[in-house]
Amino acid sequence: MKKLLCFAVFAGCLVLALTACGGKDTGASTQKESTDTNSTDEAKTDTTSTEKKTLTKAGESLKDPNVGTVTAYSVKDASNKSLQIGDLKIMFKDAKVLTMSDLTDDYKATLEEAFGKKMNEVTFAQITYDIENVGSDEIKTWNGFETAVNSEGLQIDLRFNDTLGAANPAEMEILAGAKVPNNLVLVPVKKGESNVRIKAADVLKDANAKDFLTRGKEIKIDL
């Protein structure tokens, strides 16, 4: 069963479709975003604000009571990247390298469940994207991004995203002409990672359709 967390800070944006423990909405989409600080030093001290729920610059940091301290190592625009798999169009938005430290006990337990080992700090590449079914038929199943390869060639299974409650689709149906915004996938990386390759799942339609199966594709995202 998917373990949904209070995960607003992971997104680094105000539009995560995630729910908090117990099924309540995180409020991430309605929280007022604080004004950006003018320097990295000021950003690093901005860890007590309850209003700031987005990290837009490298060096910015905030505290989340459900995770710990979240610091942006890098923030890059990825809006020039897109991927099309059959009738599924994927439009990327941004890529952030985020480090979680001073972790809460609950979040440590969730990481141990996801990765099978105890962790006191973790760094993820967080890649956000929108999707659209540009065809005239319903997409019956799409499972988001399933596999990644880091810049050192290490292949990574991304199924842990479900355990962490990340908005990387699982068994999603997408109606003809429908758009589904504000998705994201998390990839474990090292600080300073230059890029990752992520591969999307196959796109499945009704078995009677000529193009009922379109194999997934991969794309490289700079970090």
Side-chain angles (χ1 to χ4, degrees):
M1 178 180 292
K2 179 180 291 187
K3 183 172 183 180
L4 298 178
L5 299 175
C6 307
F7 203 62
V9 294
F10 251 164
C13 59
L14 301 178
V15 288
L16 274 185
L18 300 176
T19 56
C21 305
K24 294 182 181 179
D25 188 82
T26 60
S29 61
T30 58
Q31 288 276 6
K32 180 180 178 184
E33 181 180 353
S34 68
T35 303
D36 287 335
T37 55
N38 293 323
S39 71
T40 299
D41 288 339
E42 290 177 21
K44 287 182 178 179
T45 63
D46 186 18
T47 59
T48 59
S49 171
T50 58
E51 294 288 318
K52 187 176 180 62
K53 290 295 182 182
T54 182
L55 300 173
T56 59
K57 299 177 182 178
E60 286 186 332
S61 181
L62 58 82
K63 282 188 177 293
D64 184 280
N66 303 292
V67 176
T69 300
V70 184
T71 303
Y73 185 86
S74 69
V75 177
K76 288 196 175 181
D77 179 23
S79 60
N80 64 332
K81 298 278 189 176
S82 64
L83 190 64
Q84 188 152 344
I85 308 168
D87 288 338
L88 179 68
K89 186 175 182 181
I90 305 169
M91 293 80 66
F92 293 93
K93 299 167 70 175
D94 58 35
K96 302 179 181 182
V97 177
L98 304 175
T99 296
M100 274 57 70
S101 58
D102 300 323
L103 304 177
T104 66
D105 290 341
D106 285 346
Y107 193 65
K108 286 181 181 180
T110 302
L111 289 174
E112 185 172 359
E113 178 184 348
F115 297 105
K117 61 181 179 180
K118 294 182 179 180
M119 306 173 75
N120 293 317
E121 182 177 294
V122 64
T123 299
F124 290 114
Q126 175 194 273
I127 301 165
T128 59
Y129 60 96
D130 298 332
I131 56 178
E132 180 180 2
N133 181 356
V134 297
S136 57
D137 298 319
E138 179 181 354
I139 292 174
K140 293 294 185 181
T141 305
W142 187 61
N143 287 317
F145 288 92
E146 296 181 324
T147 309
V149 178
N150 66 19
S151 58
E152 296 178 343
L154 178 64
Q155 182 166 304
I156 303 164
D157 188 332
L158 299 178
R159 285 178 293 183
F160 72 87
N161 275 253
D162 187 64
T163 304
L164 294 184
N168 186 43
E171 299 183 0
M172 175 178 280
E173 295 183 5
I174 310 171
L175 299 179
K179 299 177 181 179
V180 183
N182 309 321
N183 307 282
L184 69 84
V185 62
L186 300 172
V187 182
V189 295
K190 296 178 180 179
K191 297 174 186 177
E193 193 92 49
S194 59
N195 61 73
V196 291
R197 290 158 46 201
I198 52 176
K199 184 175 181 180
D202 300 341
V203 173
L204 300 176
K205 292 185 179 180
D206 188 278
N208 295 322
K210 289 184 178 179
D211 56 345
F212 79 96
L213 170 64
T214 304
R215 293 296 184 186
K217 298 179 181 177
E218 70 170 60
I219 188 169
K220 180 184 287 187
I221 302 293
D222 293 329
L223 301 176

